[in-house]
CSV table of all heavy atoms in Angstrom, one decimal:
chain,number,residue,atom,x,y,z
U,28,ASP,N,-138.0,22.3,-154.5
U,28,ASP,CA,-137.9,20.8,-154.7
U,28,ASP,C,-139.2,20.3,-155.1
U,28,ASP,O,-140.2,21.0,-155.3
U,28,ASP,CB,-137.2,20.2,-153.6
U,28,ASP,CG,-138.0,20.4,-152.4
U,28,ASP,OD1,-139.1,20.8,-152.3
U,28,ASP,OD2,-137.5,20.1,-151.2
U,29,LEU,N,-139.3,19.0,-155.2
U,29,LEU,CA,-140.5,18.2,-155.5
U,29,LEU,C,-141.7,18.5,-154.6
U,29,LEU,O,-142.7,18.7,-155.0
U,29,LEU,CB,-140.1,16.7,-155.5
U,29,LEU,CG,-141.2,15.8,-156.0
U,29,LEU,CD1,-141.8,16.2,-157.5
U,29,LEU,CD2,-140.7,14.3,-156.0
U,30,PHE,N,-141.4,18.7,-153.3
U,30,PHE,CA,-142.5,19.0,-152.3
U,30,PHE,C,-143.1,20.4,-152.6
U,30,PHE,O,-144.3,20.4,-152.7
U,30,PHE,CB,-142.0,19.0,-150.8
U,30,PHE,CG,-143.0,19.2,-149.9
U,30,PHE,CD1,-144.0,18.4,-149.5
U,30,PHE,CD2,-143.1,20.5,-149.3
U,30,PHE,CE1,-144.9,18.6,-148.5
U,30,PHE,CE2,-144.0,20.9,-148.4
U,30,PHE,CZ,-145.0,19.9,-148.0
U,31,ASP,N,-142.2,21.3,-152.9
U,31,ASP,CA,-142.7,22.7,-153.3
U,31,ASP,C,-143.7,22.6,-154.4
U,31,ASP,O,-144.8,23.2,-154.5
U,31,ASP,CB,-141.7,23.6,-153.4
U,31,ASP,CG,-140.9,23.9,-152.2
U,31,ASP,OD1,-141.5,24.1,-151.2
U,31,ASP,OD2,-139.6,23.8,-152.3
U,32,GLU,N,-143.2,21.8,-155.4
U,32,GLU,CA,-144.0,21.7,-156.8
U,32,GLU,C,-145.4,21.0,-156.4
U,32,GLU,O,-146.4,21.4,-157.0
U,32,GLU,CB,-143.3,20.9,-157.8
U,32,GLU,CG,-142.1,21.7,-158.2
U,32,GLU,CD,-141.2,20.8,-159.1
U,32,GLU,OE1,-141.7,19.8,-159.6
U,32,GLU,OE2,-140.0,21.2,-159.4
U,33,LEU,N,-145.3,19.9,-155.5
U,33,LEU,CA,-146.6,19.3,-155.2
U,33,LEU,C,-147.6,20.2,-154.4
U,33,LEU,O,-148.8,20.3,-154.8
U,33,LEU,CB,-146.3,18.1,-154.3
U,33,LEU,CG,-146.1,16.8,-154.9
U,33,LEU,CD1,-145.8,15.7,-153.9
U,33,LEU,CD2,-147.2,16.4,-155.8
U,34,VAL,N,-147.0,21.0,-153.5
U,34,VAL,CA,-148.0,21.9,-152.7
U,34,VAL,C,-148.4,23.0,-153.6
U,34,VAL,O,-149.6,23.3,-153.5
U,34,VAL,CB,-147.1,22.4,-151.5
U,34,VAL,CG1,-147.9,23.5,-150.8
U,34,VAL,CG2,-146.9,21.3,-150.4
U,35,ALA,N,-147.6,23.4,-154.5
U,35,ALA,CA,-148.1,24.6,-155.2
U,35,ALA,C,-149.0,24.2,-156.5
U,35,ALA,O,-150.0,24.9,-156.8
U,35,ALA,CB,-146.9,25.4,-155.9
U,36,PHE,N,-148.7,23.1,-157.1
U,36,PHE,CA,-149.4,22.9,-158.4
U,36,PHE,C,-150.2,21.6,-158.4
U,36,PHE,O,-151.0,21.4,-159.3
U,36,PHE,CB,-148.3,22.7,-159.5
U,36,PHE,CG,-147.5,24.0,-159.6
U,36,PHE,CD1,-146.1,23.8,-159.4
U,36,PHE,CD2,-148.1,25.3,-159.8
U,36,PHE,CE1,-145.2,25.1,-159.5
U,36,PHE,CE2,-147.3,26.4,-159.9
U,36,PHE,CZ,-145.9,26.3,-159.7
U,37,GLU,N,-149.9,20.6,-157.6
U,37,GLU,CA,-150.5,19.2,-157.7
U,37,GLU,C,-151.7,19.0,-156.7
U,37,GLU,O,-152.1,17.8,-156.7
U,37,GLU,CB,-149.4,18.3,-157.6
U,37,GLU,CG,-148.3,18.4,-158.7
U,37,GLU,CD,-148.7,17.7,-160.1
U,37,GLU,OE1,-149.7,16.9,-160.2
U,37,GLU,OE2,-148.1,18.3,-161.0
U,38,VAL,N,-151.9,19.8,-155.8
U,38,VAL,CA,-152.9,19.5,-154.7
U,38,VAL,C,-154.2,19.1,-155.3
U,38,VAL,O,-155.0,18.3,-154.9
U,38,VAL,CB,-152.9,20.5,-153.6
U,38,VAL,CG1,-154.0,20.2,-152.6
U,38,VAL,CG2,-151.5,20.6,-152.9
U,39,GLU,N,-154.6,19.9,-156.2
U,39,GLU,CA,-155.9,19.7,-156.9
U,39,GLU,C,-155.9,18.4,-157.6
U,39,GLU,O,-157.0,17.4,-157.5
U,39,GLU,CB,-156.2,20.8,-158.0
U,39,GLU,CG,-156.5,22.2,-157.1
U,39,GLU,CD,-157.6,22.1,-156.1
U,39,GLU,OE1,-158.7,21.5,-156.3
U,39,GLU,OE2,-157.3,22.8,-155.1
U,40,ARG,N,-154.9,17.9,-158.2
U,40,ARG,CA,-154.8,16.6,-158.9
U,40,ARG,C,-154.9,15.6,-157.9
U,40,ARG,O,-155.6,14.5,-158.1
U,40,ARG,CB,-153.4,16.6,-159.7
U,40,ARG,CG,-153.2,15.2,-160.3
U,40,ARG,CD,-151.8,15.2,-160.9
U,40,ARG,NE,-151.6,13.8,-161.4
U,40,ARG,CZ,-150.5,13.5,-162.0
U,40,ARG,NH1,-149.6,14.3,-162.2
U,40,ARG,NH2,-150.3,12.2,-162.4
U,41,ILE,N,-154.2,15.7,-156.7
U,41,ILE,CA,-154.2,14.7,-155.7
U,41,ILE,C,-155.6,14.6,-155.3
U,41,ILE,O,-156.1,13.4,-154.9
U,41,ILE,CB,-153.2,15.1,-154.6
U,41,ILE,CG1,-151.9,15.0,-154.9
U,41,ILE,CG2,-153.5,14.2,-153.4
U,41,ILE,CD1,-150.8,15.6,-154.0
U,42,LYS,N,-156.4,15.6,-155.0
U,42,LYS,CA,-157.8,15.6,-154.6
U,42,LYS,C,-158.6,14.9,-155.6
U,42,LYS,O,-159.5,14.1,-155.2
U,42,LYS,CB,-158.3,17.1,-154.3
U,42,LYS,CG,-157.8,17.6,-153.0
U,42,LYS,CD,-158.5,19.0,-152.8
U,42,LYS,CE,-157.9,19.6,-151.5
U,42,LYS,NZ,-158.4,20.9,-151.4
U,43,ALA,N,-158.4,15.1,-156.9
U,43,ALA,CA,-159.3,14.6,-157.9
U,43,ALA,C,-159.0,13.0,-157.9
U,43,ALA,O,-159.8,12.2,-158.4
U,43,ALA,CB,-159.0,15.2,-159.2
U,44,GLU,N,-157.8,12.6,-157.6
U,44,GLU,CA,-157.4,11.2,-157.7
U,44,GLU,C,-158.0,10.4,-156.6
U,44,GLU,O,-157.8,9.2,-156.5
U,44,GLU,CB,-155.9,11.0,-157.9
U,44,GLU,CG,-155.4,11.6,-159.1
U,44,GLU,CD,-153.9,11.6,-159.1
U,44,GLU,OE1,-153.3,11.4,-158.1
U,44,GLU,OE2,-153.2,11.8,-160.2
U,45,GLU,N,-158.5,11.0,-155.5
U,45,GLU,CA,-158.9,10.3,-154.2
U,45,GLU,C,-159.9,9.1,-154.6
U,45,GLU,O,-159.8,8.2,-154.0
U,45,GLU,CB,-159.5,11.3,-153.3
U,45,GLU,CG,-158.5,12.0,-152.5
U,45,GLU,CD,-159.0,13.0,-151.5
U,45,GLU,OE1,-160.2,13.0,-151.4
U,45,GLU,OE2,-158.2,13.8,-150.9
U,46,GLY,N,-160.8,9.4,-155.6
U,46,GLY,CA,-161.8,8.3,-155.9
U,46,GLY,C,-161.4,7.5,-157.0
U,46,GLY,O,-162.1,6.6,-157.5
U,47,ASN,N,-160.2,7.6,-157.6
U,47,ASN,CA,-159.7,6.8,-158.7
U,47,ASN,C,-158.3,6.1,-158.4
U,47,ASN,O,-157.2,6.7,-158.6
U,47,ASN,CB,-159.5,7.8,-159.8
U,47,ASN,CG,-159.5,6.9,-161.2
U,47,ASN,OD1,-159.0,5.7,-161.1
U,47,ASN,ND2,-159.6,7.6,-162.3
U,48,PRO,N,-158.4,4.9,-157.8
U,48,PRO,CA,-157.1,4.3,-157.3
U,48,PRO,C,-156.0,4.1,-158.5
U,48,PRO,O,-154.9,4.3,-158.2
U,48,PRO,CB,-157.6,3.0,-156.8
U,48,PRO,CG,-159.0,3.3,-156.3
U,48,PRO,CD,-159.5,4.1,-157.3
U,49,PRO,N,-156.5,3.7,-159.7
U,49,PRO,CA,-155.4,3.5,-160.7
U,49,PRO,C,-154.7,4.9,-161.0
U,49,PRO,O,-153.3,4.8,-161.2
U,49,PRO,CB,-156.2,3.1,-162.0
U,49,PRO,CG,-157.5,2.4,-161.4
U,49,PRO,CD,-157.8,3.2,-160.2
U,50,LYS,N,-155.4,6.0,-161.0
U,50,LYS,CA,-154.7,7.2,-161.3
U,50,LYS,C,-153.7,7.6,-160.2
U,50,LYS,O,-152.7,8.1,-160.3
U,50,LYS,CB,-155.8,8.4,-161.5
U,50,LYS,CG,-156.3,8.4,-162.9
U,50,LYS,CD,-157.2,9.6,-163.1
U,50,LYS,CE,-157.7,9.7,-164.5
U,50,LYS,NZ,-158.4,10.9,-164.7
U,51,MET,N,-154.2,7.3,-158.9
U,51,MET,CA,-153.5,7.6,-157.7
U,51,MET,C,-152.1,6.7,-157.8
U,51,MET,O,-151.1,7.3,-157.5
U,51,MET,CB,-154.3,7.3,-156.4
U,51,MET,CG,-153.6,7.8,-155.2
U,51,MET,SD,-154.6,7.5,-153.6
U,51,MET,CE,-156.3,7.0,-154.1
U,52,ILE,N,-152.2,5.6,-158.1
U,52,ILE,CA,-151.1,4.6,-158.1
U,52,ILE,C,-150.1,5.1,-159.2
U,52,ILE,O,-148.9,5.1,-159.0
U,52,ILE,CB,-151.5,3.2,-158.4
U,52,ILE,CG1,-152.2,2.6,-157.1
U,52,ILE,CG2,-150.4,2.2,-158.7
U,52,ILE,CD1,-152.9,1.3,-157.3
U,53,LYS,N,-150.7,5.6,-160.5
U,53,LYS,CA,-149.8,6.0,-161.4
U,53,LYS,C,-149.1,7.3,-160.9
U,53,LYS,O,-147.9,7.4,-161.3
U,53,LYS,CB,-150.7,6.4,-162.5
U,53,LYS,CG,-149.9,6.8,-163.8
U,53,LYS,CD,-150.8,7.3,-165.0
U,53,LYS,CE,-150.0,7.8,-166.0
U,53,LYS,NZ,-150.7,8.8,-166.9
U,54,HIS,N,-149.7,8.1,-160.2
U,54,HIS,CA,-149.1,9.4,-159.7
U,54,HIS,C,-148.0,9.0,-158.7
U,54,HIS,O,-147.0,9.6,-158.8
U,54,HIS,CB,-150.1,10.3,-159.1
U,54,HIS,CG,-149.6,11.7,-158.8
U,54,HIS,ND1,-149.8,12.2,-157.6
U,54,HIS,CD2,-148.8,12.6,-159.5
U,54,HIS,CE1,-149.1,13.4,-157.6
U,54,HIS,NE2,-148.5,13.7,-158.7
U,55,VAL,N,-148.5,8.1,-157.9
U,55,VAL,CA,-147.3,7.7,-156.9
U,55,VAL,C,-146.1,7.0,-157.5
U,55,VAL,O,-145.0,7.4,-157.2
U,55,VAL,CB,-148.0,6.6,-155.9
U,55,VAL,CG1,-146.8,5.9,-155.0
U,55,VAL,CG2,-148.9,7.3,-155.0
U,56,ARG,N,-146.4,6.3,-158.6
U,56,ARG,CA,-145.2,5.7,-159.3
U,56,ARG,C,-144.4,6.8,-160.0
U,56,ARG,O,-143.2,6.8,-160.1
U,56,ARG,CB,-145.7,4.7,-160.3
U,56,ARG,CG,-146.1,3.5,-159.5
U,56,ARG,CD,-146.2,2.2,-160.4
U,56,ARG,NE,-146.5,1.0,-159.6
U,56,ARG,CZ,-147.4,0.3,-159.8
U,56,ARG,NH1,-148.1,0.3,-161.0
U,56,ARG,NH2,-147.7,-0.9,-159.0
U,57,GLU,N,-145.1,7.8,-160.6
U,57,GLU,CA,-144.4,9.0,-161.2
U,57,GLU,C,-143.5,9.6,-160.1
U,57,GLU,O,-142.4,10.0,-160.4
U,57,GLU,CB,-145.3,10.0,-161.8
U,57,GLU,CG,-146.0,9.5,-163.0
U,57,GLU,CD,-147.2,10.4,-163.5
U,57,GLU,OE1,-147.4,11.4,-162.9
U,57,GLU,OE2,-147.8,10.0,-164.4
U,58,LEU,N,-144.0,10.0,-159.0
U,58,LEU,CA,-143.4,10.6,-157.9
U,58,LEU,C,-142.2,9.8,-157.4
U,58,LEU,O,-141.0,10.3,-157.2
U,58,LEU,CB,-144.3,10.9,-156.7
U,58,LEU,CG,-145.3,12.1,-156.9
U,58,LEU,CD1,-146.2,12.1,-155.7
U,58,LEU,CD2,-144.7,13.4,-157.1
U,59,ALA,N,-142.3,8.5,-157.4
U,59,ALA,CA,-141.2,7.6,-156.9
U,59,ALA,C,-140.2,7.6,-157.9
U,59,ALA,O,-139.0,7.6,-157.6
U,59,ALA,CB,-141.8,6.0,-156.7
U,60,GLU,N,-140.5,7.7,-159.2
U,60,GLU,CA,-139.5,7.8,-160.3
U,60,GLU,C,-138.7,9.2,-160.1
U,60,GLU,O,-137.5,9.1,-160.3
U,60,GLU,CB,-140.2,7.6,-161.6
U,60,GLU,CG,-139.2,7.7,-162.7
U,60,GLU,CD,-138.3,6.4,-162.8
U,60,GLU,OE1,-138.7,5.4,-162.4
U,60,GLU,OE2,-137.1,6.5,-163.3
U,61,GLN,N,-139.4,10.1,-159.9
U,61,GLN,CA,-138.7,11.5,-159.6
U,61,GLN,C,-137.8,11.4,-158.5
U,61,GLN,O,-136.6,11.9,-158.5
U,61,GLN,CB,-139.7,12.6,-159.6
U,61,GLN,CG,-140.4,12.9,-160.8
U,61,GLN,CD,-141.3,14.0,-160.7
U,61,GLN,OE1,-142.4,13.9,-159.8
U,61,GLN,NE2,-141.1,15.2,-161.3
U,62,LEU,N,-138.2,10.8,-157.4
U,62,LEU,CA,-137.5,10.7,-156.1
U,62,LEU,C,-136.3,9.8,-156.5
U,62,LEU,O,-135.0,10.1,-156.0
U,62,LEU,CB,-138.2,9.9,-155.0
U,62,LEU,CG,-139.3,10.9,-154.4
U,62,LEU,CD1,-140.2,10.0,-153.4
U,62,LEU,CD2,-138.7,12.0,-153.5
U,63,PHE,N,-136.3,8.7,-157.3
U,63,PHE,CA,-135.2,7.9,-157.6
U,63,PHE,C,-134.2,8.7,-158.5
U,63,PHE,O,-133.0,8.5,-158.2
U,63,PHE,CB,-135.7,6.7,-158.3
U,63,PHE,CG,-134.5,5.8,-158.7
U,63,PHE,CD1,-134.0,4.9,-157.9
U,63,PHE,CD2,-134.2,5.7,-160.1
U,63,PHE,CE1,-132.9,4.2,-158.2
U,63,PHE,CE2,-133.1,4.9,-160.4
U,63,PHE,CZ,-132.5,4.1,-159.6
U,64,LYS,N,-134.8,9.5,-159.4
U,64,LYS,CA,-133.8,10.2,-160.3
U,64,LYS,C,-133.1,11.3,-159.5
U,64,LYS,O,-132.0,11.6,-159.8
U,64,LYS,CB,-134.6,10.8,-161.5
U,64,LYS,CG,-135.0,10.0,-162.4
U,64,LYS,CD,-135.8,10.6,-163.5
U,64,LYS,CE,-136.3,9.6,-164.6
U,64,LYS,NZ,-137.1,10.1,-165.6
U,65,ASN,N,-133.8,11.9,-158.5
U,65,ASN,CA,-133.1,12.9,-157.7
U,65,ASN,C,-131.9,12.4,-156.8
U,65,ASN,O,-130.9,13.0,-156.7
U,65,ASN,CB,-134.1,13.6,-156.6
U,65,ASN,CG,-135.0,14.4,-157.4
U,65,ASN,OD1,-134.8,14.9,-158.5
U,65,ASN,ND2,-136.0,14.9,-156.6
U,66,GLU,N,-132.0,11.0,-156.4
U,66,GLU,CA,-131.0,10.4,-155.8
U,66,GLU,C,-130.0,9.8,-156.5
U,66,GLU,O,-128.8,9.7,-156.0
U,66,GLU,CB,-131.6,9.3,-154.6
U,66,GLU,CG,-132.4,10.0,-153.6
U,66,GLU,CD,-133.0,8.9,-152.7
U,66,GLU,OE1,-132.7,7.7,-152.8
U,66,GLU,OE2,-133.8,9.3,-151.9
U,67,ASN,N,-130.4,9.5,-157.7
U,67,ASN,CA,-129.4,8.8,-158.5
U,67,ASN,C,-129.4,9.5,-160.0
U,67,ASN,O,-130.0,9.0,-161.0
U,67,ASN,CB,-129.8,7.3,-158.9
U,67,ASN,CG,-129.9,6.5,-157.6
U,67,ASN,OD1,-129.0,6.5,-156.8
U,67,ASN,ND2,-131.1,5.9,-157.3
């Protein structure tokens, strides 16, 4: 699922975004959209 993909492939991206709030917010919104699509 989405968590497995995050742990396997996105951890470096998450670390790189720590100092850049706009990128972090963009990634959070992308994840939120995926969560919404999974439920609907």
Side-chain angles (χ1 to χ4, degrees):
D28 58 12
L29 187 57
F30 179 78
D31 294 314
E32 292 171 15
L33 270 179
V34 169
F36 307 116
E37 301 281 334
V38 174
E39 295 305 318
R40 176 183 176 182
I41 292 170
K42 285 181 184 176
E44 291 172 350
E45 284 180 3
N47 193 341
K50 282 187 176 182
M51 190 177 348
I52 291 171
K53 182 181 177 212
H54 189 229
V55 166
R56 288 196 173 134
E57 289 171 4
L58 290 173
E60 184 67 29
Q61 286 179 301
L62 288 169
F63 180 76
K64 285 180 183 176
N65 286 347
E66 290 180 10
N67 304 305

